[in-house]
Amino acid sequence: MHNQLTTPLGLTVAALLALSAVPGHADEAATRAASEFELSMAVATASRQWRDAFNAGDAAGAAAMYEEDAVMVAEPFGTFEGREAIQAFWTQLVEGGFDDVVYFNTTTVVAQDLETAVVSAEWRMNKAHGIITKELWALQPDGTALLREDHFEVAQ
């Protein structure tokens, strides 16, 4: 008697391999992988631009990395709606001497729609540290990414 490995749907491994070899599936997978890579790169580039602006004391440059109607939830400080309010928050921090922000243990998850990605991380800077629970980055028509939502917590 011949044993074959089967999937929960009763397909054999050989049948699954045959399906994955269909050119249409391979093309779709390659296209999706390329789109995920492009979005991931746009998010990584934009995130770096945000950190560079903040660390340079450029609150307006940091705020420019948010969509016009973005929402930022900064625990324990509150919720800031719109780029202008977000810029005022960052201006206050820059004027208070906060800088040198660094992210670590960063995770980026690309959404199925390939239009958004969520970043979470731990962060530290010269006068504080905390966690980013959700940076929702959205792909823009020009291929760049901007923050749509920013949720973070300050631990100190």
Side-chain angles (χ1 to χ4, degrees), residues 24 35 47 55 108 116 118:
S35 295
S47 180
N55 288 338
T108 301
T116 58
V118 173

Side-chain angles (χ1 to χ4, degrees), residues 2 4 19 22 24 32 55 62 69 72 78 81 87 93 97 115 135:
H2 186 266
Q4 291 189 20
L19 284 174
V22 176
R32 182 167 182 81
N55 288 338
D69 59 351
M72 183 175 78
E81 297 184 20
Q87 182 174 334
L93 259 63
E115 298 292 324
E135 285 184 347

Side-chain angles (χ1 to χ4, degrees), residues 46-47 50-51 54 62-63 65-67 69-75 77-82 86-87 89-90 93 101 103 117-121 123 125 131-138 146-154:
S47 180
W50 183 92
R51 289 190 307 274
F54 179 80
M65 301 310 301
Y66 291 80
E67 290 182 330
D69 59 351
V71 174
M72 183 175 78
V73 179
E75 295 294 335
F77 305 104
T79 300
F80 303 84
E81 297 184 20
I86 291 168
Q87 182 174 334
F89 176 85
W90 294 125
L93 259 63
V101 69
Y103 288 10
V118 173
V119 172
S120 59
W123 61 269
M125 63 173 69
I131 59 170
I132 298 166
T133 55
K134 178 183 178 184
E135 285 184 347
L136 177 62
W137 291 89
L146 292 176
L147 277 162
R148 182 168 290 163
E149 294 179 29
D150 188 5
H151 301 258
F152 64 93
E153 299 174 13
V154 178

Side-chain angles (χ1 to χ4, degrees), residues 8-110:
L9 297 176
L11 294 173
T12 65
V13 172
L16 282 177
L17 290 173
L19 284 174
S20 67
V22 176
H25 292 287
D27 291 344
E28 182 180 336
T31 299
R32 182 167 182 81
S35 295
E36 285 183 8
F37 177 77
E38 288 174 20
L39 177 57
S40 294
M41 290 303 296
V43 168
T45 299
S47 180
R48 181 59 190 215
Q49 289 171 335
W50 183 92
R51 289 190 307 274
D52 287 348
F54 179 80
N55 288 338
D58 181 4
M65 301 310 301
Y66 291 80
E67 290 182 330
E68 192 63 43
D69 59 351
V71 174
M72 183 175 78
V73 179
E75 295 294 335
F77 305 104
T79 300
F80 303 84
E81 297 184 20
R83 191 181 286 158
E84 187 176 321
I86 291 168
Q87 182 174 334
F89 176 85
W90 294 125
T91 298
Q92 185 176 10
L93 259 63
V94 166
E95 289 174 352
F98 290 82
D99 63 10
D100 294 328
V101 69
V102 176
Y103 288 10
F104 55 100
N105 295 328
T106 304
T107 302
T108 301
V109 177
V110 174

